[in-house]
Amino acid sequence: AVPGWLKGRLPGKPLYIINGKLATVAQLNALKPTQAASINTIDGKTAAQMYGPNASQGLVVVTLKETTR
């Protein structure tokens, strides 16, 4: 399951990118909201153009703060 701090940002099962690398839901769940420098959501059409058809349900891009990398 998606962590509560991300719920409702995108419907379906988006792809997750953490610091430029494809991530699993488990990796995302291991993060604390305070570790994130930024969290961006990208809708399915735009995400699919960027990352291919696997991102057709959207994309969540998380950039971590420098101290948590």
Side-chain angles (χ1 to χ4, degrees):
V2 176
W5 51 279
L6 281 177
K7 284 193 186 220
R9 289 196 180 221
L10 286 172
K13 294 183 179 183
L15 282 184
Y16 302 102
I17 305 293
I18 300 174
N19 286 342
K21 296 180 183 177
L22 188 61
T24 65
V25 173
Q27 290 169 313
L28 189 68
N29 281 329
L31 297 176
K32 296 177 183 145
T34 57
Q35 292 177 286
S38 67
I39 302 168
N40 296 299
T41 56
I42 301 171
D43 70 18
K45 184 177 179 181
T46 303
Q49 290 173 347
M50 295 169 65
Y51 285 89
N54 288 338
S56 64
Q57 292 190 30
L59 185 65
V60 176
V61 180
V62 179
T63 302
L64 298 178
K65 294 177 183 175
E66 194 65 35
T67 58
T68 59
R69 287 185 180 190

